[in-house]
Amino acid sequence: VQTWLTAMNRSIVLAKACGDLRADVDEEQMAFEIHGLILALHYEARFLHKPGSIARANNGFENILARYGAPSKS
């Protein structure tokens, strides 16, 4: 898990450096939110077998990207 979290954090840092995320993004906070979303998905889909869990997780991830994403360059 730690290896995966480190890789995710590195990806967030790179996305900031490329300008895909806002310059003020707290990498650890964003990683925490994504990790929490993934844990919720596992719980809902795998243990509770709740329909729509994957769609809700995708929606949650889109919300995270919308909050932290850099404004469009166009």
Side-chain angles (χ1 to χ4, degrees):
V1 172
Q2 189 58 50
T3 300
W4 183 83
L5 290 173
T6 300
M8 183 171 52
N9 190 279
R10 185 173 43 248
S11 296
I12 293 168
V13 169
L14 289 172
K16 263 178 73 170
C18 291
D20 293 324
L21 297 175
R22 294 188 337 255
D24 66 340
V25 167
D26 178 340
E27 296 94 352
E28 288 189 32
Q29 180 64 36
M30 186 174 181
F32 179 86
E33 292 179 29
I34 293 169
H35 187 229
L37 183 63
I38 290 167
L39 291 176
L41 172 61
H42 281 284
Y43 183 81
E44 295 272 322
R46 197 165 194 199
F47 300 122
L48 298 179
H49 305 287
K50 287 184 85 171
S53 299
I54 293 172
R56 281 191 299 279
N58 284 332
N59 188 39
F61 187 65
E62 290 297 324
N63 289 336
I64 291 169
L65 293 179
R67 256 191 357 266
Y68 291 115
S72 179
K73 296 175 186 177
S74 55

